[in-house]
Amino acid sequence: MIELFSSETPNTRKISIMLEEVGFDFKITKIDLSKGEQFKTQFRKISPFSKTPVIIDHENGKSVFESGAILIYLGEKSGKFYDVKDRNLINQWLMAQMGNVGPMIGQHHQFHHFNPGKSKFGEEKFFDQAKRIYGDLDQRLGQTKYLAGENYTIADIATWPWISRHEWHDIGLKKYKNLSKWYIEIAKREAVIKGFDFLKNGSIIPQL
Ligand SMILES: N[C@@H](CCC(=O)N[C@@H](CS)C(=O)NCC(=O)O)C(=O)O
């Protein structure tokens, strides 16, 4: 059984979706970031930067932090969505999510959605970065069905939850035809619908 230490964020949704996709038994342990629970000594033993998500695999007692590393761990353990022959490509698109898509769109959330009016520079910089990412992903998805080629992989599972916050972005997902098509197709997957609502509080995937 896998224990997922979680907050209701795109980074955690990567893992709840992956767990649903591979069909592993899992339980959720909620970490309330607003109460500072991520800084508790016990949690920091498995999360050295005090961040969610983290998993403990109770089959072997191993813990894994960093969502990209968790996806790789679950991909290797299940033998799904991380095919050995495609790993070079999957790793590139996964690392691009971890190093670019998540951090840039995350800052766009901070400046544009949560703190408008506080920094013109921050708002403009990260709006521009988020728009560029939409354009770059759209271009890629005009060439291949999924980010790492013709198969749905952990690179898509890592990236999709960030696009699922498109209503906060004010970029207009609809204008990006290839990205929209990819987004809607993945949004229809049963595991994605279940994994999106991992807290079972009725969270519904935003449509276009
Ligand atoms: N690179 C990390 C980022 C994780 C992350 O930023 N988690 C946020 C929620 S989305 C968090 O736990 N923040 C709490 C804090 O920084 O105090 C990953 O992908 O796992």
Side-chain angles (χ1 to χ4, degrees):
M1 192 268 294
I2 306 281
E3 182 171 7
L4 171 58
F5 295 82
S6 58
S7 54
E8 198 170 8
T9 62
N11 285 325
T12 289
R13 282 203 169 105
K14 296 173 190 174
I15 312 306
S16 54
I17 288 171
M18 179 66 173
L19 287 164
E20 292 289 353
E21 291 281 14
V22 300
F24 285 169
D25 186 26
F26 71 98
K27 73 168 185 185
I28 300 289
T29 298
K30 212 176 157 197
I31 301 294
D32 191 335
L33 303 179
S34 66
K35 291 193 181 138
E37 287 177 1
Q38 69 273 36
F39 299 112
K40 287 190 175 162
T41 310
Q42 206 55 23
F43 184 64
R44 280 180 52 81
K45 285 185 184 154
I46 55 169
S47 182
F49 293 98
S50 306
K51 292 191 188 285
T52 56
V54 182
I55 60 162
I56 295 180
D57 183 344
H58 286 287
E59 237 174 60
N60 54 26
K62 282 184 188 158
S63 65
V64 189
F65 70 94
E66 273 294 324
S67 58
I70 300 171
L71 288 172
I72 290 173
Y73 178 83
L74 295 173
E76 286 177 339
K77 185 178 167 92
S78 65
K80 289 181 179 166
F81 310 115
Y82 192 45
D83 200 319
V84 175
K85 73 172 176 13
D86 298 329
R87 277 193 193 168
N88 180 35
L89 209 48
I90 298 171
N91 288 345
Q92 290 174 60
W93 286 94
L94 177 65
M95 296 309 146
Q97 190 292 311
M98 298 301 298
N100 185 28
V101 177
M104 293 302 132
I105 294 184
Q107 293 307 313
H108 181 45
H109 290 171
Q110 290 303 318
F111 285 103
H112 178 78
H113 181 74
F114 291 116
N115 297 287
K118 288 204 179 146
S119 165
K120 190 168 181 291
F121 172 78
E123 278 183 57
E124 285 178 0
K125 178 175 168 68
F126 293 108
F127 206 127
D128 181 55
Q129 288 287 329
K131 247 194 276 184
R132 276 179 53 185
I133 286 169
Y134 270 52
D136 294 339
L137 291 175
D138 191 62
Q139 193 176 3
R140 172 63 176 169
L141 292 165
Q143 296 158 352
T144 53
K145 186 161 188 226
Y146 294 103
L147 290 172
E150 292 312 301
N151 299 314
Y152 175 67
T153 71
I154 57 171
D156 302 290
I157 295 173
T159 307
W160 185 90
W162 284 94
I163 304 302
S164 79
R165 285 264 160 96
H166 65 89
E167 289 171 332
W168 291 8
H169 302 159
D170 287 328
I171 291 174
L173 178 56
K174 265 189 193 153
K175 287 185 281 181
Y176 298 81
K177 296 293 172 217
N178 307 312
L179 184 59
S180 301
K181 189 167 168 249
W182 169 89
Y183 174 74
I184 288 299
E185 190 182 309
I186 294 175
K188 287 183 194 150
R189 294 176 73 93
E190 203 182 317
V192 174
I193 295 166
K194 271 181 98 177
F196 190 86
D197 188 27
F198 69 97
L199 290 176
K200 301 201 182 347
N201 59 9
S203 288
I204 290 171
I205 295 173
Q207 295 304 304
L208 282 190

